Amino acid sequence: MPIQTPFHQRTSEHNKNLDWKDWGGYFASNSYNVVNDFEYYAFRHSAGLIDVTPLFKYKVTGKDATLFLSRLIVKDISKLKLNQATYCCWCDDRGMVIDDGTVMYFAENEYFVTAADPSYSWFSRFIKKLDVKIEDVTDTICALALQGPTSRDILKNVCDADIDSLKFFWTTSAKGDGFEFKISRTGYTGDLGYELWVKNADAIKLFDALWHAGQNYNIRMSGIAALDIARIEAGLVMNGVDYHSSLHALIPEQMSTPYELGLGWAVNLDRDPFMGQKALKAEKKNGSKWATVGIDIDWPDLEELYKKHGLPPHTDAGAWRTSIPVYHPQNKTKQIGYATSGTWSPLLKKNIALVTIQKEYAKPGTEVNFEVTVEHHREKVRAIVGKPQFFNPKRKRSIVKKENNE
Amino acid sequence: MSKKYDAIIIGGGHNGLINAAYLAKAGKDVLVLEKRHVLGGAAVSEEVFPGYTFSVCSYVVSLFRPHIIRELNLAKHGYDIIPMDASFQPLPDGDMGLCRWGDASRTRREIARFSKKDSEVYGEFSKVMTHMAKMAKEIIDHPAPDVASINPKELSSLLRMGKVFKNMGPELLQMNTKLLTMSSADFLDLWFESEVLKGPMSVSGIIGTFLGVRSPGTAYVLLHHYMGELDGAFRSWGFSKGGTGGVSIACANAAKSFGAEIRTNVNVSHVKIKNGKATGVVLANGDEIDSKIVISNLDPNRTYLKMIGENNLESNITKEIKRFKLRGSSGKVNFALNGVPNFCKKRDGLEFMKGDIAIVPNVDYVERAYDQAKYGEFSERPYINIVVPSLTDPTLAPPGKHVMSCFVQYAPFNIKEGAENWPKLADKFGDAVQETIKEYVPDFDSLVEHRQVVTPWDLQETFGLTEGNIFQGELTLEQLLFQRPISGYAKYKTPIRGLWMSGSGTHPGGGIMGSGGELSAKSILKDKAI
Amino acid sequence: MSKYDIIVIGGGHNGLTTATILAKKGKKVLLLEKRNVLGGIAAGEEFHPGYSTTGLLHDTSGVRVDVVKNLQLERHGLVLEKHRADVSILSKDGRSSTLTSNVEATSKEIETFSIRDADAYKKYQEFVKKVSKVFNDLMDNPPPNVDVEHLTMASLVVLAKKGMLLKGLGNQSMMELLKVAPMCVADFLNEKFETEFLKAGIAAPAVYGSYGGPWSAYSTINLLMWESAAKVNIKGGPQMLVDALVKASKEAGVEIRTEAEVERILLNEHGVIKGVRIKGGEEINSNSIAASCTPKETFLNLFDDFQLEYELNYWIEKIRSRGTTAKVNIALNKTIELNGKAAEYARTGNSFDEMEKAFDPVKYKEVTDSPFLDIHIPTLSSPSLAPNGHSVVSVLVHQIPYDFNEGWTEKSKKKLGDDVLKELESYAPGISKAVVGMEVLSPLDLEEKYTLTHGHVFHGEHFVDQLVTRPIPSCARYSTPVSGLFLCGSGSHPGGGITCAPGSMAAIEILKTL
């Protein structure tokens, strides 16, 4: 049985739909309403509030904490400045991704790491003789994500921190009315947004303050289903959906490298040894086999297929996470990749999907064939390869004082 | 008796019945003879006390081969397994204990109480074991390759094995060697640190063997939990509806539906042998029944030394069969209870008790139990595997009452007082079990209405398992594969033409798998023996 | 370019063997030894003023004759007896039996207490003789490289050929070998013999250095390996081998530095061997290194974290090397007899149950009160090791755990010494009164003194999965995943003991690449 997060008392009041999911052993609201479009639109038009407590969270401290994380993570953590945060992934020897997450540099020799999978065992086996302590704070620190264009204004109303000048992927400490918490300008929606980290005891205080302040800014509870739509639009890959941790993969075909996942930008190769360095250097030199791309599934083509069956075009309201084959542009029986998740983008009015594809077909503009099932018949429809990131608004990175510079 | 059968099967245990079903399905005229009044051998349900039905010996079903269920259509004939969700390990001093559930996150939290690392390593361990299970499946679903001969046919079966090893890498490949040879405790040490967690995990390696968790050669049985035959269940374990005898009854019904004839209360004295060939059986009352072939579902010792007889065997064969180690090491104690024995009052509800309950607080506990057995005593504080099947299957006991079945190890057949003195020690043995349980269920005595103690001696005398070995022979490497029961006769044949074997004493060994019965029947048909 | 073609780490008998063979082939070899003496656990030590042993280990019966010949060790003073040394099997009831290389004579002596066993011993040795070809073939060759993953008909034919060698035994012996190999030595010998103390004494070498008692499965393999290998004897003990090897190595041009402790193995930017750094900071360059120290020491202590691939590190960490051997050296002011006989080598055991009971506490990190002993009285053949008329009793005490709940303190060591003396009293009454000095080396001491990881005298347990593919599959043929790094110690095939086999086979493999 999943357990309840410290916000459960509040989230359950809002969850009229009684639609709960097991996320990392916690109850998580999949959707709060039968029609959950508005939970998604909150991210893009006002502010959506999500309980993200089930993320695995670790406090890494000690004199060698920087060295330790730099060796484990493919990004050079030693480059982080105090209060800065970074998105990153970590690999095994073969350069295969184990998990991805965020590292926040909270204080000297103190880092805060989030992960999708339990990672204590993996991290701790590298401590060896280093002066490092890893504390699993998953059950003691809880988290809310406040995402959307009005999130900044809401946050300004609940704490004393200088939110206006807090830059994208930076963090700050904040004081609310009778409680303290940490703010990171991070998120999983590709929009302006923040993640708030607070001790379990202060969970309800933070929640209530946000909810109260949010009333003037159309704050809404958002579920995982809505979040899924937003993260696909933003082109953010998900462990267990778009790729599989090499620790759990049974065969090499189930593993991916950061380059194959489009996370090459998060790899710093030329530095002291780190896990996977040798393999990743070789891959960088020799090229990758696979790439992660976004595809835009051609709507007129789809319409045509439905027309054949005398039906109006149809698309599911939410995101999907099933594996769907992608075929060669000409040879429609030759599979060249597979979609791992996709959605109808309410904002872009497009049918989009994240696709793992053989490198030679990854060039933006390439036409491929995507399998769709229309009235129980398997059909192929044209799709255009592009970057995974479909939506990237300026406000995601903007700061208030010099809005136009960013 | 003038009728001549195609085949007579001695022993109506589940393997014998499966063998009969396959042969009958192939159109053969088959007769099964069972000495007892009930079918099933060690897979038997009996109403031991009025109103209380027990799985007297074997009490859970785990590795029953799914293709046998399909091929014999056993579900139609009553095969019905209730999966077990939980595996509970009570701990002394009122601790919450450790419960492993089908829900992975829930299990992770339970294990994290003892070791955070272990709680996460569980997945890595499962991954390695899944690789290993590929090999095991290859082995248990085919007759054992004959190492003695280097003919192309045997080599090509090795090639088939090679495919299983694809992409494993040298170290993982060597893991096969580790798994086959190491002790279960050492093997688990490669991943885990918590002695509490390793306790119940390691004991699966010793069940039914006269070995300890630190004895080399016990690790490979850990695989059984990763064969994943029962869909969706955390451990592929379950209770047969109506007790383990339900499995045997389903097999018997299947056999009958194909036309096999089954008789109980028929005691076979020996196999009729003419000119080195089996021609039927001779009953204890002197009657004879003729058949083209005979299949013995008895253990190798009984088959060779009683059914065939030393005078019909060459001396080197007799010598080899006498080397075959049986050495039973376990007993059963079955309780009829007037209420629920609560093994952990700190936990809500009774869900945690609906699977198995393992009394093994840590690795040293069970190793010390073994140390005692090594020198000829039963363990004062034994490893006990408990099930209360009436919690999930209320038909087994009167309303509100329960049956509780305890598998107890170590109870060495060869005690220092001499095996024949077991009946005198039975009560003392039962008391030791009851005392051990009381350490977790203080009010246990007041719940007990009846107690049935099944010692290794009883397993031999009542169920025909020589030296009380529940697997018809130790599952050590030198008694497995092409050496089970003896090399040269590992493919279900015996030195007597027309006499075959099908029991747990043949490849791939014990437990309610059905493989012996199935593979022997298929070998007989392939050989055109009838 | 470096001055040296290769640096050999560790000056034990295997390190010396590797260095000498390579130097004889014209390679420039530098050998670095941490201690101030050469020989490692084969070196004799003065443990009490005026009293010396001939080595931590006693048994030289397994020294490979081809190494002695190739390195012309006899020219350098080695006296090789072409038969194994006599061993006296002692019983607490005062009986004893001498196992000699002469099976007939041994059997005759056994006949005085058991006719059945006299016959059984002959049959047992016949079986050993048959299977020894297989075991010696295994020990004299690098591990076969069978790639199961890419199994082809061709590789199967190679396997089949190996199988034919087994076949050469005759079908019956082959099947018997397959049958008994996984067995525990107690079952194996119980099928043959009836006299408890004799069985225990014959079985003893099977459990030396292992984490198991006579009831542990697969111990029969160890017994058969030992029996197959034990063919010779070095007069004067292991130290004589060391002396000859040192002379041979110097003649061949090996440069030897003692008190040169390697702190780090250095890699270049491509992860290839660059040299070593020794204590004091000096760096010595070479593109190749042969390490004769334990695999765990080599990979886990001589490299920085993260220099090695995780996978390599992971499997090395999983090597089992739980030390179970202690050493007690006793200086006596007189000569002694064991059960009334002068015996240079003797073993006790008494019965399988007693041996097993000595092992039982190891599992719980405890130490037995009645250890069984592996005794060497070197002064019988080399009186000069002690003052005139005095003697040295060197005792290897097996089934003494490295990992000890109470910890290895002076107090617990004294207790162990006393327990050993108490045991010895049963065979040599009055011995305690003759003691003038004593040294007790716990497994922890062995680790510290000889850099033996967890005090394991074989550099890793001799168990099925750690034999042949020793220490781990990717390092099994002396080369390692680290380019330029080789292993040449007891942690490699065919394993520990004073054989020089790993050192010599490693040298042959290294020559292929140098």
Side-chain angles (χ1 to χ4, degrees):
Chain A
M1 282 279 278
I3 58 171
Q4 303 177 355
T5 77
F7 301 111
H8 193 82
Q9 204 190 330
R10 293 289 182 269
T11 51
S12 59
E13 279 167 20
H14 287 94
N15 195 336
K16 304 284 192 283
N17 203 17
L18 298 182
D19 180 11
W20 298 95
K21 252 182 120 160
D22 175 356
W23 175 11
Y26 285 96
F27 276 116
S29 285
N30 188 47
S31 63
Y32 286 86
N33 305 280
V34 175
V35 175
N36 56 34
D37 300 25
F38 301 103
E39 297 174 29
Y40 158 80
Y41 280 117
F43 295 141
R44 300 297 183 225
H45 297 147
S46 53
L49 187 63
I50 322 158
D51 179 0
V52 292
T53 302
L55 282 171
F56 290 92
K57 304 175 283 285
Y58 304 93
K59 204 165 128 183
V60 179
T61 53
K63 219 165 79 257
D64 297 325
T66 311
L67 175 71
F68 172 74
L69 288 173
S70 302
R71 283 175 164 188
L72 267 183
I73 292 172
V74 298
K75 193 157 203 183
D76 191 354
I77 296 302
S78 68
K79 294 266 165 62
L80 277 188
K81 299 193 180 76
L82 201 63
N83 290 324
Q84 204 181 358
T86 185
Y87 171 79
C88 60
C89 64
W90 44 97
C91 295
D92 63 18
D93 265 344
R94 297 157 294 186
M96 298 298 175
V97 177
I98 287 168
D99 201 356
D100 63 316
T102 310
V103 175
M104 302 171 204
Y105 189 11
F106 275 171
E108 194 177 345
N109 296 332
E110 183 188 330
Y111 292 87
F112 188 78
V113 183
T114 69
D117 277 342
S119 307
Y120 179 83
S121 155
W122 177 254
F123 287 160
S124 60
R125 66 187 74 171
F126 298 100
I127 295 177
K128 303 193 181 202
K129 293 162 210 153
L130 296 179
D131 177 6
V132 169
K133 195 177 149 229
I134 301 172
E135 194 188 339
D136 185 346
V137 293
T138 306
D139 289 342
T140 53
I141 291 182
C142 53
L144 291 171
L146 182 67
Q147 304 276 307
T150 64
S151 56
R152 180 186 284 137
D153 297 324
I154 298 172
L155 209 47
K156 271 159 50 176
N157 278 296
V158 302
C159 70
D160 63 345
D162 179 6
I163 306 295
D164 276 341
S165 59
L166 184 65
K167 288 194 238 166
F168 188 52
F169 270 94
W170 282 77
T171 72
T172 181
S173 299
K175 262 202 200 88
D177 187 9
F179 61 95
E180 289 177 9
F181 62 112
K182 289 271 188 189
I183 302 173
S184 61
R185 192 167 158 190
T186 50
Y188 204 46
T189 59
D191 217 305
L192 172 67
Y194 303 87
E195 285 171 313
L196 316 171
W197 316 92
V198 67
K199 285 203 297 269
N200 283 359
D202 293 330
I204 297 295
K205 283 185 209 156
L206 172 67
F207 186 97
D208 288 348
L210 289 169
W211 194 253
H212 180 74
Q215 291 315 304
N216 296 329
Y217 301 94
N218 189 32
I219 191 171
R220 265 184 174 277
M221 292 310 298
S222 298
I224 312 252
L227 184 64
D228 223 15
I229 300 172
R231 68 105 190 159
I232 294 168
E233 285 181 341
L236 301 169
V237 291
M238 189 169 179
N239 183 354
V241 176
D242 302 301
Y243 76 94
H244 293 279
S245 168
S246 75
L247 292 182
H248 305 146
L250 278 173
I251 49 171
E253 287 76 11
Q254 293 174 334
M255 306 175 187
S256 310
T257 69
Y259 295 112
E260 291 172 346
L261 292 177
L263 302 177
W265 60 272
V267 182
N268 297 124
L269 277 184
D270 297 313
R271 55 189 177 97
D272 283 344
F274 64 91
M275 280 294 292
Q277 187 183 37
K278 226 164 133 184
L280 291 174
K281 273 187 172 171
E283 191 187 348
K284 175 98 188 185
K285 201 173 134 208
N286 305 327
S288 314
K289 267 205 218 139
W290 296 89
T292 298
V293 297
I295 58 167
D296 173 359
I297 300 152
D298 193 71
W299 188 255
D301 235 26
L302 192 67
E303 224 172 349
E304 202 56 43
L305 281 178
Y306 276 93
K307 212 186 266 173
K308 248 176 36 190
H309 292 275
L311 287 168
H314 169 83
T315 179
D316 289 327
W320 44 266
R321 294 176 172 188
T322 40
S323 173
I324 297 179
V326 172
Y327 295 94
H328 192 268
Q330 284 84 41
N331 182 353
K332 289 190 182 181
T333 56
K334 184 184 171 193
Q335 192 177 344
I336 54 169
Y338 48 92
T340 47
S341 50
T343 187
W344 166 253
S345 166
L347 193 80
L348 305 167
K349 306 297 180 217
K350 277 181 181 174
N351 228 342
I352 57 174
L354 294 174
V355 167
T356 306
I357 200 164
Q358 289 168 18
K359 185 79 196 215
E360 54 195 294
Y361 304 101
K363 238 177 54 209
T366 309
E367 261 187 40
V368 294
N369 281 294
F370 180 74
E371 185 180 286
V372 287
T373 305
V374 180
E375 194 57 20
H376 315 295
H377 289 271
R378 294 210 169 168
E379 308 277 5
K380 311 251 159 61
V381 58
R382 211 163 58 97
I384 312 292
V385 171
K387 292 230 164 83
Q389 207 172 25
F390 296 95
F391 178 67
N392 188 16
K394 266 195 175 157
R395 61 178 179 259
K396 181 175 91 180
R397 292 169 169 272
S398 70
I399 53 170
V400 170
K401 282 165 196 163
K402 32 181 179 173
E403 182 102 42
N404 297 325
N405 288 357
E406 280 284 325
Chain B
M1 292 269 171
S2 55
K3 179 175 176 182
K4 186 169 176 179
Y5 291 89
D6 287 334
I8 292 174
I9 291 143
I10 309 171
H14 77 287
N15 274 315
L17 294 166
I18 286 169
N19 186 292
Y22 273 101
L23 293 181
K25 195 181 168 199
K28 307 300 174 193
D29 196 3
V30 184
L31 172 67
V32 180
L33 300 175
E34 167 57 43
K35 183 170 88 174
R36 299 190 67 214
H37 61 287
V38 282
L39 289 170
V44 66
S45 307
E46 291 183 58
E47 190 174 323
V48 180
F49 307 109
Y52 297 90
T53 302
F54 291 92
S55 302
V56 179
C57 302
S58 184
Y59 56 104
V60 285
V61 182
S62 64
L63 276 176
F64 199 88
R65 311 309 301 142
H67 61 270
I68 298 178
I69 304 173
R70 290 190 293 270
E71 288 168 6
L72 298 179
N73 208 355
L74 291 182
K76 190 182 117 189
H77 296 292
Y79 182 90
D80 190 0
I81 302 293
I82 308 165
M84 293 155 66
D85 180 47
S87 199
F88 182 64
Q89 172 193 15
L91 291 172
D93 308 322
D95 189 274
M96 286 285 284
L98 170 62
C99 193
R100 292 177 292 152
W101 305 88
D103 175 345
S105 296
R106 192 176 187 185
T107 303
R108 178 165 47 75
R109 287 208 170 89
E110 293 257 9
I111 297 173
R113 282 186 58 224
F114 303 95
S115 161
K116 191 149 211 42
K117 277 188 201 166
D118 286 1
S119 72
E120 298 182 4
V121 166
Y122 220 66
E124 260 175 80
F125 177 69
S126 303
K127 181 175 137 180
V128 171
M129 296 307 270
T130 307
H131 277 298
M132 300 299 115
K134 291 191 293 191
M135 169 192 71
K137 242 177 130 77
E138 201 58 37
I139 289 171
I140 65 174
D141 285 343
H142 296 94
D146 186 357
V147 168
S149 86
I150 306 175
N151 74 35
K153 228 166 96 190
E154 299 294 345
L155 287 180
S156 67
S157 81
L158 273 174
L159 273 179
R160 195 188 61 218
M161 300 272 289
K163 287 201 189 100
V164 174
F165 297 131
K166 197 171 169 273
N167 282 328
M168 278 169 82
E171 319 295 344
L172 207 51
L173 267 174
Q174 194 220 19
M175 193 56 83
N176 286 310
T177 313
K178 287 189 193 289
L179 187 68
L180 275 177
T181 58
M182 282 170 73
S183 75
S184 57
D186 281 356
F187 191 76
L188 290 169
D189 276 345
L190 296 176
W191 286 272
F192 301 102
E193 60 181 14
S194 161
E195 296 297 315
V196 172
L197 172 67
K198 280 185 284 184
M201 288 181 83
S202 63
V203 285
S204 57
I206 54 149
I207 288 175
T209 74
F210 192 59
L211 293 168
V213 291
R214 294 199 188 280
S215 305
T218 51
Y220 81 98
V221 187
L222 295 170
L223 263 188
H224 285 191
H225 294 297
Y226 292 86
M227 301 293 289
E229 303 295 353
L230 279 180
D231 295 329
F234 160 59
R235 309 172 79 176
S236 51
W237 288 56
F239 298 113
S240 172
K241 185 102 173 35
T244 306
V247 173
S248 304
I249 290 165
C251 296
N253 287 343
K256 283 187 214 157
S257 78
F258 296 122
E261 184 183 338
I262 300 172
R263 294 188 212 159
T264 52
N265 287 316
V266 181
N267 193 358
V268 174
S269 157
H270 58 273
V271 174
K272 220 165 104 182
I273 298 170
K274 235 183 233 158
N275 303 325
K277 189 183 180 316
T279 58
V281 298
V282 181
L283 305 185
N285 65 10
D287 288 353
E288 296 186 3
I289 311 176
D290 292 336
S291 62
K292 289 182 191 156
I293 63 165
V294 177
I295 297 139
S296 168
N297 197 39
L298 313 181
D299 68 47
N301 190 285
R302 286 195 176 219
T303 302
Y304 278 77
L305 301 179
K306 296 218 171 75
M307 292 298 121
I308 300 175
E310 278 190 50
N311 52 338
N312 288 310
L313 290 169
E314 286 176 30
S315 65
N316 61 328
I317 299 282
T318 308
K319 195 182 132 210
E320 282 305 305
I321 211 72
K322 283 184 175 168
R323 285 172 97 183
F324 187 76
K325 292 188 286 285
L326 293 127
R327 297 181 185 166
S329 61
S330 58
K332 276 291 296 279
V333 179
N334 298 317
F335 293 98
L337 305 176
N338 60 28
V340 178
N342 194 329
F343 277 82
C344 184
K345 292 216 163 98
K346 279 188 180 162
R347 286 180 180 262
D348 295 333
L350 293 172
E351 287 305 315
F352 71 96
M353 279 179 43
K354 291 188 178 174
D356 72 321
I357 301 160
I359 308 273
V360 47
N362 54 55
V363 175
D364 281 358
Y365 173 92
V366 64
E367 185 64 21
R368 285 187 198 274
Y370 173 56
D371 282 350
Q372 215 175 345
K374 272 196 295 196
Y375 310 112
E377 295 168 26
F378 63 77
S379 319
E380 231 157 291
R381 284 293 173 268
Y383 156 58
I384 311 178
N385 196 257
I386 300 166
V387 291
V388 191
S390 48
L391 287 171
T392 34
D393 182 359
T395 62
L396 297 172
K401 310 210 170 186
H402 289 280
V403 289
M404 173 167 143
S405 156
C406 304
F407 171 86
V408 189
Q409 196 160 327
Y410 296 82
F413 179 83
N414 295 308
I415 35 172
K416 54 178 191 233
E417 293 86 349
E420 68 284 359
N421 283 313
W422 255 115
K424 281 185 222 154
L425 290 167
D427 266 337
K428 240 178 101 189
F429 174 59
D431 291 346
V433 171
Q434 207 159 325
E435 285 304 312
T436 307
I437 293 171
K438 268 163 69 182
E439 290 181 1
Y440 306 90
V441 188
D443 62 346
F444 187 68
D445 283 349
S446 67
L447 295 172
V448 177
E449 290 198 343
H450 308 280
R451 180 174 91 184
Q452 179 198 26
V453 180
V454 183
T455 68
W457 181 258
D458 298 324
L459 290 174
Q460 173 175 281
E461 297 300 306
T462 310
F463 297 92
L465 294 165
T466 307
E467 294 197 15
N469 189 303
I470 60 172
F471 294 143
Q472 293 196 347
E474 278 264 62
L475 297 174
T476 46
L477 192 63
E478 74 272 19
Q479 302 198 156
L480 289 174
L481 300 165
F482 63 94
Q483 306 198 92
R484 192 169 186 87
I486 54 173
S487 61
Y489 297 102
K491 290 189 165 176
Y492 313 101
K493 288 187 185 173
T494 68
I496 305 299
R497 262 184 305 133
L499 176 64
W500 297 69
M501 288 180 70
S502 64
S504 294
T506 61
H507 174 79
I512 306 181
M513 286 196 271
S515 303
E518 176 226 352
L519 293 173
S520 63
K522 287 180 176 170
S523 300
I524 290 166
L525 293 170
K526 202 175 160 197
D527 213 58
K528 298 202 167 58
I530 41 173
Chain C
M1 272 308 281
S2 153
K3 236 173 99 183
Y4 304 106
D5 292 320
I6 190 163
I7 295 172
V8 176
I9 303 176
H13 58 282
N14 278 312
L16 285 166
T17 303
T18 304
T20 311
I21 294 174
L22 294 176
K24 281 186 78 143
K25 292 283 175 186
K27 304 297 169 194
K28 288 211 179 80
V29 185
L30 172 68
L31 183 143
L32 300 173
E33 166 59 42
K34 183 176 178 176
R35 301 175 66 211
N36 58 3
V37 289
L38 291 165
I41 58 173
E45 313 261 354
E46 187 178 59
F47 63 95
H48 186 76
Y51 300 81
S52 300
T53 66
T54 60
L56 178 77
L57 298 185
H58 307 148
D59 181 14
T60 56
S61 64
V63 167
R64 304 319 277 176
V65 177
D66 59 327
V67 177
V68 173
K69 281 196 183 129
N70 292 346
L71 299 183
Q72 297 176 305
L73 295 182
E74 280 165 311
R75 185 163 61 79
H76 293 289
L78 187 84
V79 179
L80 189 72
E81 296 171 341
K82 295 282 177 338
H83 56 82
R84 60 168 86 157
D86 297 352
V87 181
S88 185
I89 306 297
L90 307 175
S91 169
K92 269 190 187 151
D93 61 14
R95 286 185 293 174
S96 66
S97 177
T98 308
L99 304 182
T100 72
S101 53
N102 183 334
V103 175
E104 228 17 84
T106 307
S107 170
K108 267 267 150 47
E109 201 195 327
I110 294 173
E111 216 176 270
T112 60
F113 53 85
S114 166
I115 292 168
R116 182 183 147 181
D117 286 355
D119 183 50
Y121 188 76
K122 274 196 257 180
K123 285 191 179 140
Y124 165 69
Q125 284 297 341
E126 269 167 44
F127 179 64
V128 166
K129 205 172 155 193
K130 277 188 191 151
V131 299
S132 73
K133 250 202 318 200
V134 175
F135 282 101
N136 282 313
D137 179 69
L138 194 69
M139 281 186 273
D140 287 338
N141 291 291
N145 191 8
V146 179
D147 184 358
V148 190
E149 205 174 331
H150 303 104
L151 211 56
T152 59
M153 256 314 171
S155 58
L156 277 172
V157 169
V158 174
L159 264 185
K161 274 192 182 153
K162 284 266 164 202
M164 292 309 257
L165 185 70
L166 271 175
K167 278 257 172 192
L169 294 175
N171 212 35
Q172 212 186 332
S173 301
M174 177 183 75
M175 291 320 285
E176 180 65 12
L177 178 57
L178 292 173
K179 172 97 187 165
V180 301
M183 281 167 66
C184 70
V185 71
D187 275 341
F188 174 62
L189 294 177
N190 275 340
E191 284 183 345
K192 305 179 186 307
F193 295 92
E194 61 178 6
T195 311
E196 288 295 332
F197 86 93
L198 180 69
K199 286 188 280 192
I202 293 173
V207 295
Y208 291 170
S210 79
Y211 191 86
W215 290 107
S216 286
Y218 298 98
S219 40
T220 301
I221 293 184
N222 287 353
L223 180 64
L224 293 176
M225 268 181 48
W226 182 85
E227 289 276 15
S228 303
K231 284 181 168 163
V232 295
N233 182 45
I234 291 174
K235 205 165 171 226
Q239 178 63 45
M240 296 298 122
L241 173 69
V242 175
D243 289 346
L245 276 170
V246 171
K247 280 181 200 151
S249 68
K250 286 189 173 153
E251 186 186 273
V254 176
E255 184 180 332
I256 297 177
R257 284 173 66 176
T258 52
E259 291 180 273
E261 178 182 350
V262 174
E263 270 184 349
R264 275 287 170 277
I265 290 173
L266 307 173
L267 301 178
N268 70 12
E269 68 275 21
H270 303 296
V272 174
I273 291 292
K274 187 172 85 177
V276 297
R277 189 177 73 230
I278 58 175
K279 204 171 177 178
E282 183 188 349
E283 291 192 2
I284 308 171
N285 291 339
S286 174
N287 296 332
S288 297
I289 288 173
S292 70
C293 42
T294 74
K296 281 193 159 177
E297 173 69 16
T298 307
F299 290 109
L300 305 181
N301 288 342
L302 299 185
F303 285 95
D304 279 326
D305 297 350
F306 279 84
Q307 268 197 317
L308 293 180
E309 298 254 305
Y310 167 74
E311 283 268 319
L312 175 60
N313 200 82
Y314 181 86
W315 294 110
I316 291 288
E317 273 179 355
K318 293 199 183 315
I319 294 172
R320 301 188 304 294
S321 61
R322 296 163 290 187
T324 51
T325 309
K327 181 76 189 283
V328 177
N329 295 318
I330 306 166
L332 297 177
N333 59 18
K334 61 169 194 178
T335 56
I336 56 152
E337 292 183 332
L338 298 168
N339 281 2
K341 286 185 204 158
E344 186 176 346
Y345 294 94
R347 294 178 204 148
T348 76
N350 285 291
S351 74
F352 287 139
D353 276 0
E354 276 180 53
M355 285 169 85
E356 185 72 16
K357 280 178 181 162
F359 170 65
D360 283 344
V362 176
K363 301 182 288 194
Y364 314 112
K365 303 182 172 115
E366 292 160 9
V367 174
T368 175
D369 295 329
S370 344
F372 62 91
L373 315 175
D374 172 4
I375 304 162
H376 182 206
I377 306 180
T379 38
L380 279 176
S381 61
S382 313
S384 63
L385 294 168
N388 208 1
H390 292 211
S391 62
V392 168
V393 181
S394 154
V395 184
L396 283 164
V397 196
H398 297 280
Q399 316 304 23
I400 302 298
Y402 169 84
D403 204 355
F404 181 26
N405 272 339
E406 289 172 31
W408 282 112
T409 58
E410 284 310 313
K411 197 178 143 208
S412 54
K413 276 160 65 174
K414 182 167 185 310
K415 161 101 175 38
L416 175 62
D418 291 346
D419 284 342
V420 168
L421 272 180
K422 204 170 75 201
E423 283 296 307
L424 281 171
E425 280 285 338
S426 318
Y427 312 102
I431 186 173
S432 304
K433 292 199 188 85
V435 174
V436 292
M438 196 152 100
E439 177 192 42
V440 179
L441 295 170
S442 72
L444 188 71
D445 294 330
L446 298 188
E447 177 177 57
E448 280 167 9
K449 188 168 180 184
Y450 299 103
T451 324
L452 290 170
T453 311
H454 300 146
H456 202 280
V457 289
F458 296 154
H459 293 201
E461 291 165 41
H462 284 179
F463 190 73
V464 193
D465 65 307
Q466 299 193 157
L467 292 169
V468 189
T469 51
R470 190 171 171 87
I472 59 167
S474 61
C475 301
R477 292 164 68 85
Y478 311 101
S479 62
T480 70
V482 181
S483 180
L485 177 67
F486 300 87
L487 301 180
C488 65
S490 293
S492 292
H493 177 78
I498 298 171
T499 66
C500 298
S504 122
M505 282 189 277
I508 293 161
E509 288 299 313
I510 293 168
L511 279 171
K512 289 181 187 165
T513 65
L514 265 192

